[in-house]
Amino acid sequence: MLAPRLSRRVVVVYAALAALLLAYFLSLILRQADQSNSLVDGWGVGVFELVTSGLCIWRAIGSRHRIVPLMLGLGILSWSIGDTVLAAESAGGGTPPVPSLADLFWLSFYPVFYVALVLLARRHLARVGGTTWLDGAVAGLGAAALCACFAFNTILHSVGGNPTTVATDLAYPIGDILLLMLAVGGTAVIPGRKDPQWLLIACAIGCTAIGDTFNLFASSGATSHLGVIVNGVAWPCAILLISASVWVRPVQMSPLARNGPPGFLLPGLGACAGLVILLVDTLHQVTPVAIALATATLMTVGVRLALSVRSLRSLTEIRHRQAITDDLTGLGNRRQLFNLLDAFFADNADPETVGRRLSLLYLDLDHFKEINDSFGHSAGDEVLRQLGPRLTSHLRATDALVRVGGDELAVLVMDTDPTYAATVARRLIDELERPFLLDALSVRVGASIGIAHAPADATESASLLRCADLAMYRAKVGRLPYESYQHELDDEGNPLQLVDELRDAILDNQLEVHYQPQVDLVTGKVSAMEALVRWPHPRLGMIPPLDFIPLAEEAGLMHSLTAFVLGRAVKQCAAWRAAGETMTMSVNVSATNLLDSGFSESVMTTLAQHDVPPACLILEITETMIIRDFDLCKPVVDQFRALGLGVSIDDFGAGVTSLAHLGSLAVSELKLDRSFLTRLATGDTERNLALVRATIALGHKLNMRVVAEGIEDVDALNLLAALGCDLAQGYFISRPMPANELDLHERRDDLSPSSGAAVA
Ligand code: C2E
Ligand code: MG
Ligand code: MG
C-alpha cells in the first residue's frame, strides 16, 4: 500500500516516530499533572512535528500528485512552527502572551488543511449523487452539532479575558468543528468509504478535535492529569497520522466498480445527534451554536427524506412500467394482458357496465423457429420488433396488442362482435403475409390465430386465454388462418396433451408408415415407393400427417419423427430388395431436418445398417421449403447428392420456383404437384398442356426424373404418360397402405398405360 521504492525506509522512519510518540505518552502518564518539561513538551514535540512535515514535503517532491501532500506538509509545518514559537516564548520560565504569535501559526493550519481535504475528496465526488451529498451533510452537521455542544458549552462557562483571547480560543473549536464536519461528511459521502488515505486523515481529525477540546479546558484552567495527557499526545498523534497518510497509495477507482449504496450509519448517527441535542435542550440549556447546527441537521434530513420519497415514487412508476412491458418489442407483456383482462372482468361484474364484450385474438407465428435457426436470433428479434408497428396499424386506439412470450402475441379487441373479431384476424394474417425486410434479407412468416369471446366463452382471464389458445391450436393443426373457440374443442382434448401423446407415440413406435407405389410409365412396373407417416390415435382414430406434423414441428419432435419414418422405410426397402423387388424409397423431410447438421450422417448410418445403397433413397423436399429458404437448401441438397442420395422437389408447381433456382439445384427428381392435373382439367387446356409438357421437358433437360402425383383416374395416367412423365403416383394406382397389404405384382399388370390416348 506504501509507495514501492521507499517503503522500507519510510516504514522504519515512521516506526521510529511512533516509538518516540509512545515514549512521550508514557512520560506524560508517569509525571505529575502540574509537572512539565519544556525541553520535551516544547522543543521535543516541535522537532517531532517538523520532521513529520518534512516527510510530507519530501513525499510531495517525489510524487506526481504533489498538491495534497504539499498542502498537508505545509499545514503541519505551520502547526510545528506554532509549537516551536511557543517553546521559544516559554523558554527560561517565561509566560507566553495570550493570544501569542504561536496562535497565528496554529490557526493557519486550518485553511491549508481544508484545501487539502477538498482536493483529496474531489476525485471521489464525480461519482456521488445528490442524495448522497445530503447524507454527507447530515453526518457532518450532526457531528458538528455534537462537538459544538461540548466545546461551546464549556467555553461559554470557562473562557474569559479580553475579546482577542476569547476570539482566539473560539477559533480552535470552530476550526475543529469545520474539520470534523468535512471529515465525517466526506467519510459518509465517499463511495465505498474504503480509501485508506482518507480514513487515516479522518482519524487524525478525530484526534485533533479531542485534543483541542482538552486544550480548551487547559487554557481555562479546568485541567486534570488525563487532560494533560490527552492534550499532550492528541496533536502529535494526529500529525503523525496525517503525515503517514501521504505515503499511502490512493485506491484506484475502477470505472466498472459498482457504487455501493451510501452507508446509513454515519448519516443516521448525525440525524440522531441532531434530534438528541434538540431534546436535551428542553431540559438543559445547550449552546445556540449546537442548536443551530442540530436544527440544520434535521432540516437536511427533511430535504433528504422528501427527495427519497420523490425518487422512490418515480422508481416505482418505472418498475411498474417495466413489469408490464416486453423489453424487446416495447409492447405490453403477459402480465399486462392479465391486468387488462382482469380489469375487464372486474368491470363487467358491475351491473352498470354489464354488456361490454371483448374478443381475445391469440396469435402464434409460423416458421419463426426456422428464421431464428437459419438467420440467427437477431433476425428473429428484428421480425418481432417490426410486428408491433405493423399489426397495431390495423387496430383501433381502444384495442391492445401484447407479446405473450416467444412468438406468441395477443390482441384485445374491445366492444366487438364475432364478425368484427374475424375481420381483424383476417387483416392481421394478411399483414403478416407481407415479407419482413431485414437488412439484405426478406423473410416471410405466417400465423395462426385463435379467437375467444368474453363473456360468451369465459368469464375469467385464465379461462379466456385457454379458450383462445385451444382455438389457435385448432387453426394451426387445420392449417387455417384463424379459428374461433367452440366448446367441442375442449372435448377433443387439449393440444398440449396431444403434443404429449404424440411424443409418447413416437418414442413407443406407435406411429405407422404407409407406402404408396409409383409406377414406371414406360414399363408399367412399380419402381418406387413413397413412405407416408400416420398416427393411429387411441381416441381420435387414424390422424393424417398434415394434422400432426405442424404439432411435431412446434414441439421440436421432427428429428425423432423423421428418424422413425426413415428407419422403417429403409428397413422395408431392404426387405423388398431381399425379395427381389428393386425400387427406390422416397421419404419426406422437413425444414427442421435440413437445419440439423447431423441429419445426413444419421441417414447414411440407417442405410448402412440395412445394407441399402444411397441411390435407393430419395429425400423429398417441398418446393415451398426451397422457395422459403433457397440459400439454406442448396448446400444441403449438394451434400445429399455428394453422398449419392436422391433428392426430389415435392409438390412442384404449388409454389413458384424461379427457373434460375431450379437450374442451380442438384436435385434428381421433380414431383409434379396435383395442381398441375387440376389445371389441365380447367381453363385453357392447350396452354396448360404446353406448360406441363414444357415442365416435363425442362426436368429431363436438367437430368431429373419427373413424377406425377395425385393420379386419380386412367385419363390422367394416360395423359401424363403421353406427355413423357417418367413415374406416376396416385389413388388410381394405389392408396398409401401398410407394406403387408400392398400386392405389388397384381397391381403392376393392370397398369400398362394406353399411351397417347388423351393427347392429340
Ligand atoms: P406429399 O409428400 O405430397 O404426399 C402425397 C400426399 O398425397 C399423401 O397425403 C397422399 O396420401 C396423397 N395422395 C396420394 N395420391 C393421391 C391422389 O390420387 N389424390 C389425392 N387427393 N391425394 C393423393 P398424406 O399421406 O396425407 O400426406 C400429406 C403430406 O404430409 C405429404 O405430402 C407430406 O408432405 C407430408 N408427410 C407425410 N408423411 C411425412 C413424413 O414422414 N415426414 C414429413 N416431413 N412429411 C410427411
Ligand atoms: Mg412427398
Ligand atoms: Mg407431394
Side-chain angles (χ1 to χ4, degrees):
M1 206 182 280
L2 289 174
R5 268 192 316 129
L6 298 169
S7 57
R8 192 171 300 160
R9 265 187 286 166
V10 169
V11 169
V12 170
V13 171
Y14 277 96
L17 289 172
L20 277 176
L21 188 61
L22 186 66
Y24 180 54
F25 176 62
L26 291 174
S27 81
L28 285 177
I29 293 174
L30 293 175
R31 63 165 103 138
Q32 298 292 316
D34 52 354
Q35 200 183 348
S36 69
N37 181 333
S38 64
L39 192 66
V40 177
D41 299 344
W43 296 107
V45 170
V47 170
F48 175 88
E49 290 166 351
L50 271 173
V51 172
T52 53
S53 76
L55 284 166
C56 284
I57 293 167
W58 180 26
R59 173 69 175 141
I61 292 166
S63 162
R64 270 193 304 130
H65 307 286
R66 59 186 52 139
I67 185 77
V68 172
L70 188 65
M71 297 303 274
L72 293 175
L74 290 178
I76 301 173
L77 182 66
S78 176
W79 192 270
S80 56
I81 293 174
D83 279 348
T84 315
V85 168
L86 183 75
E89 284 174 347
S90 319
T95 309
V98 179
S100 98
L101 183 61
D103 287 309
L104 182 67
F105 285 104
W106 283 331
L107 290 175
S108 306
F109 163 84
Y110 290 101
V112 179
F113 207 80
Y114 296 150
V115 174
L117 275 188
V118 171
L119 289 175
L120 190 62
R122 202 177 51 175
R123 67 186 148 103
H124 294 289
L125 299 184
R127 295 162 154 245
V128 169
T131 47
T132 312
W133 278 108
L134 288 174
D135 283 346
V138 171
L141 284 169
L146 204 63
C147 186
C149 206
F150 292 108
F152 284 89
N153 220 18
T154 317
I155 207 165
L156 286 180
H157 292 115
S158 56
V159 172
N162 65 50
T164 327
T165 310
V166 174
T168 307
D169 281 344
L170 279 174
Y172 289 100
I174 290 172
D176 286 340
I177 284 171
L178 273 175
L179 263 189
L180 197 67
M181 245 170 78
L182 275 174
V184 176
T187 309
V189 163
I190 288 174
R193 294 165 295 284
K194 287 197 183 119
D195 186 346
Q197 194 176 16
W198 180 272
L199 289 179
L200 276 179
I201 292 176
C203 288
I205 292 170
C207 289
T208 62
I210 296 167
D212 272 351
T213 311
F214 279 93
N215 190 28
L216 204 63
F217 297 151
S219 66
S220 63
T223 187
S224 66
H225 190 202
L226 178 67
V228 170
I229 296 169
V230 174
N231 186 24
V233 290
W235 270 93
C237 184
I239 279 169
L240 187 66
L241 288 174
I242 292 167
S243 174
S245 77
V246 302
W247 296 94
V248 173
R249 206 183 298 155
V251 168
Q252 290 298 317
M253 301 301 288
S254 158
L256 298 176
R258 228 170 50 82
N259 283 356
F264 182 69
L265 184 68
L266 288 176
L269 286 176
C272 288
L275 199 65
V276 168
I277 289 166
L278 293 183
L279 285 175
V280 168
D281 185 52
T282 58
L283 306 168
H284 176 81
Q285 201 200 351
V286 176
T287 164
V289 179
I291 296 292
L293 284 167
T295 310
T297 308
L298 292 184
M299 281 169 65
T300 317
V301 170
V303 175
R304 168 69 164 104
L305 280 180
L307 283 180
S308 297
V309 169
R310 204 181 66 171
S311 68
L312 199 69
R313 200 176 299 153
S314 76
L315 199 70
T316 312
E317 245 174 60
I318 293 170
R319 284 279 146 83
H320 177 69
R321 212 173 314 126
Q322 282 173 346
I324 59 166
T325 306
D326 171 56
D327 281 346
L328 180 68
T329 57
L331 299 170
N333 60 14
R334 192 183 181 87
R335 192 175 285 124
Q336 165 78 332
L337 175 68
F338 273 89
N339 285 351
L340 295 172
L341 287 176
D342 289 347
F344 169 82
F345 286 117
D347 283 354
N348 235 27
D350 176 356
E352 281 188 19
T353 52
V354 167
R356 292 195 75 178
R357 285 184 298 175
L358 169 152
S359 295
L360 173 65
L361 277 60
Y362 199 87
L363 186 153
D364 182 274
L365 297 183
D366 299 329
H367 316 304
F368 186 71
K369 184 175 177 301
E370 293 155 34
I371 291 179
N372 269 337
D373 291 345
S374 342
F375 307 116
H377 284 267
S378 57
D381 287 353
E382 184 51 32
V383 168
L384 290 173
R385 268 193 289 267
Q386 289 185 23
L387 276 175
R390 281 178 53 168
L391 297 185
T392 313
S393 66
H394 295 279
L395 304 176
R396 302 167 304 178
T398 48
D399 303 335
L401 173 69
V402 299
R403 181 177 173 215
V404 185
D407 60 352
E408 292 177 358
L409 298 124
V411 180
L412 284 187
V413 186
M414 289 300 302
D415 300 318
T416 178
D417 57 48
T419 318
Y420 182 69
T423 313
V424 174
R426 181 74 263 166
R427 277 193 219 141
L428 298 183
I429 293 283
D430 289 347
E431 177 60 52
L432 285 174
E433 273 165 11
R434 286 200 303 116
F436 285 77
L437 299 176
L438 318 171
D439 294 332
L441 289 173
S442 157
V443 296
R444 283 175 189 275
V445 291
S448 312
I449 298 182
I451 309 173
H453 306 282
D457 294 333
T459 51
E460 183 258 321
S461 309
S463 311
L464 187 69
L465 197 66
R466 185 173 158 274
C467 292
D469 195 19
L470 284 172
M472 187 275 291
Y473 266 99
R474 171 52 73 96
K476 204 170 258 303
V477 169
R479 299 207 166 178
L480 296 166
Y482 61 89
E483 182 71 277
S484 289
Y485 173 78
Q486 295 153 32
H487 287 290
E488 312 85 72
L489 286 171
D490 266 340
D491 301 338
E492 281 188 24
N494 182 326
L496 297 176
Q497 184 192 336
L498 215 57
V499 168
D500 282 341
E501 289 173 349
L502 178 59
R503 185 177 289 115
D504 291 344
I506 296 173
L507 289 179
D508 301 344
N509 294 339
Q510 286 168 16
L511 296 187
E512 280 181 15
V513 179
H514 288 192
Y515 301 90
Q516 189 172 29
Q518 294 174 359
V519 165
D520 185 314
L521 287 175
V522 176
T523 64
K525 291 183 180 172
V526 174
S527 64
M529 283 286 177
E530 178 172 11
L532 295 159
V533 68
R534 268 103 186 87
W535 179 13
H537 191 279
R539 276 180 297 117
L540 306 175
M542 189 67 90
I543 306 182
L546 290 181
D547 283 5
F548 66 87
I549 282 180
L551 272 188
E553 290 272 12
E554 286 289 319
L557 297 171
M558 272 323 278
H559 176 80
S560 358
L561 187 143
T562 308
F564 170 82
V565 176
L566 197 72
R568 282 286 174 92
V570 171
K571 189 176 173 195
Q572 186 57 55
C573 184
W576 276 324
R577 278 166 61 81
E581 306 288 344
T582 46
M583 61 180 78
T584 59
M585 177 63 79
S586 298
V587 172
N588 295 282
V589 294
S590 78
T592 319
N593 302 130
L594 299 188
L595 289 166
D596 178 359
S597 56
F599 180 67
S600 54
E601 201 184 317
S602 75
V603 170
M604 296 310 282
T605 312
T606 311
L607 286 170
Q609 267 170 5
H610 298 284
D611 199 20
V612 173
C616 287
L617 182 66
I618 294 172
L619 298 174
E620 292 193 6
I621 306 171
T622 60
E623 186 194 27
T624 35
M625 216 187 308
I626 292 170
I627 296 171
R628 209 182 311 129
D629 200 345
F630 181 79
D631 293 337
L632 166 83
C633 289
K634 186 173 165 19
V636 183
V637 169
D638 287 344
Q639 192 193 10
F640 289 158
R641 298 292 288 139
L643 291 168
L645 298 162
V647 177
S648 175
I649 303 184
D650 198 359
D651 303 340
F652 184 80
V656 273
T657 311
S658 88
L659 292 181
H661 279 172
L662 191 61
S664 62
L665 261 191
V667 290
S668 52
E669 185 183 274
L670 210 55
K671 244 181 135 175
L672 301 184
D673 189 57
R674 230 166 59 84
S675 58
F676 267 105
L677 297 178
T678 323
R679 259 184 257 152
L680 281 181
T682 55
D684 188 344
T685 318
E686 270 312 311
R687 283 176 67 92
N688 285 332
L689 260 181
L691 188 74
V692 179
R693 190 184 288 117
T695 309
I696 294 170
L698 179 71
H700 287 157
K701 265 264 177 295
L702 295 171
N703 287 330
M704 296 173 189
R705 180 164 89 162
V706 182
V707 184
E709 282 193 282
I711 305 293
E712 291 185 351
D713 52 48
V714 71
D715 291 345
L717 183 77
N718 290 334
L719 176 64
L720 283 154
L723 288 173
C725 209
D726 301 307
L727 296 172
Q729 173 183 350
Y731 293 164
F732 176 68
I733 300 159
S734 167
R735 285 192 174 259
M737 285 202 261
N740 57 6
E741 288 176 27
L742 279 171
D743 187 346
L744 304 173
H745 301 278
E746 192 186 319
R747 281 282 178 197
R748 202 170 52 189
D749 299 336
D750 299 345
L751 293 174
S752 186
S754 48
S755 303
V759 189

